[in-house]
Amino acid sequence: MKKLLQYCYDEIEIKRSRFLAECFPVKTQTEVRTIIKAQKEKHSTAKHVVHAFIIGEQKEILGASDDGEPQGTAGSPILTVLKNSDISHILVTVTRWFGGVLLGTGGLVKAYSTSTKNVIEKAESLHFVIEEIKQVRVFFEIKYTELNAVKKLLSEVEATHIVTDFSDMVTYTCEFPLAKYDLFKEGLTHITRGLCSIQSEEIKT
């Protein structure tokens, strides 16, 4: 899954109609509603402020609006591009200033799709879109004799934010990619001969 880090925009003109595509990182539908309201106020001279959004770890929350354009010619094309981009937690608005020439349903679909593709490609080229890597935070205790082996294991799983406490036992708290958890668990079980208890929690982003 990918995520958008920050706002980006791109603009095209088709038959004198101006299309301004803007993308925003969002986490909730409340944020979506707030941004759309602000966009309509900001672009009050425009004929249409169309939008689509996708939210959720599984991209399970989504929506779109044609905002007065013929049904299915604006919001749906934007949403289709978003689905194909594999980006979640994103809102795209495309604001249209009518140039006096009718584009037809096919022309509108192409215009809104192109606008959305362009702004996403621009965001990616600016490195505003990144692959989201789920992290896990773990807590465990080991013996001093196991310290060197555990340090090597933590390096293998690319652990970060490592905090240690030295008392009767060595206490560790650290974070690493969730995909490496099984490797970590297997390695720690081997090092400690199964005598180490691991507490873990997935880090929400």
Side-chain angles (χ1 to χ4, degrees):
M1 186 73 68
K2 298 177 183 178
K3 70 175 182 179
L4 178 70
L5 294 178
Q6 64 187 78
Y7 166 85
C8 189
Y9 74 94
D10 190 75
E11 186 175 328
I12 61 174
E13 184 176 312
I14 299 175
K15 294 183 179 179
R16 298 202 296 273
S17 277
R18 176 187 167 203
F19 293 83
L20 173 64
E22 300 171 87
C23 56
F24 305 82
V26 290
K27 292 183 178 179
T28 67
Q29 288 177 278
T30 300
E31 284 185 75
V32 170
R33 288 191 290 269
T34 300
I35 292 171
I36 292 170
K37 181 181 178 181
Q39 286 291 88
K40 289 189 176 183
E41 292 174 355
K42 179 181 177 182
H43 303 307
S44 59
T45 60
K47 192 170 181 64
H48 307 281
V49 181
V50 179
H51 78 269
F53 67 90
I54 294 181
I55 300 173
E57 296 298 321
Q58 305 299 321
K59 301 173 71 172
E60 66 272 18
I61 304 172
L62 46 84
S65 170
D66 294 314
D67 193 39
E69 294 281 31
Q71 185 176 358
T73 64
S76 292
I78 295 174
L79 187 58
T80 297
V81 174
L82 291 183
K83 288 178 179 178
N84 292 335
S85 72
D86 197 33
I87 302 174
S88 188
H89 302 292
I90 184 174
L91 163 67
V92 170
T93 66
V94 180
T95 304
R96 181 191 181 194
W97 287 266
F98 183 53
V101 179
L102 296 176
L103 302 183
T105 56
L108 287 173
V109 169
K110 183 177 181 181
Y112 282 104
S113 296
T114 301
S115 293
T116 307
K117 289 177 183 176
N118 286 357
V119 75
I120 289 177
E121 287 175 1
K122 183 175 179 180
E124 289 177 330
S125 70
L126 293 171
H127 305 292
F128 292 171
V129 176
I130 63 168
E131 190 72 34
E132 189 171 23
I133 301 175
K134 293 183 179 180
Q135 297 282 114
V136 62
R137 181 181 295 115
V138 298
F139 170 88
F140 60 96
E141 291 183 335
I142 60 168
K143 298 176 182 178
Y144 279 83
T145 54
E146 299 161 340
L147 191 56
N148 288 336
V150 167
K151 286 183 178 179
K152 182 180 178 182
L153 176 62
L154 292 181
S155 176
E156 291 174 355
V157 298
E158 300 174 14
T160 59
H161 301 89
I162 301 172
V163 178
T164 54
D165 180 62
F166 298 93
S167 55
D168 293 339
M169 301 280 285
V170 182
T171 302
Y172 267 99
T173 303
C174 64
E175 300 172 10
F176 52 82
L178 181 61
K180 294 182 180 289
Y181 181 73
D182 288 342
L183 173 63
F184 168 79
K185 185 176 180 180
E186 181 181 344
L188 193 62
T189 299
H190 175 73
I191 292 169
T192 64
R193 296 177 175 80
L195 299 178
C196 181
S197 176
I198 306 171
Q199 298 177 39
S200 65
E201 62 176 352
E202 184 177 328
I203 301 172
K204 302 296 183 181
T205 57

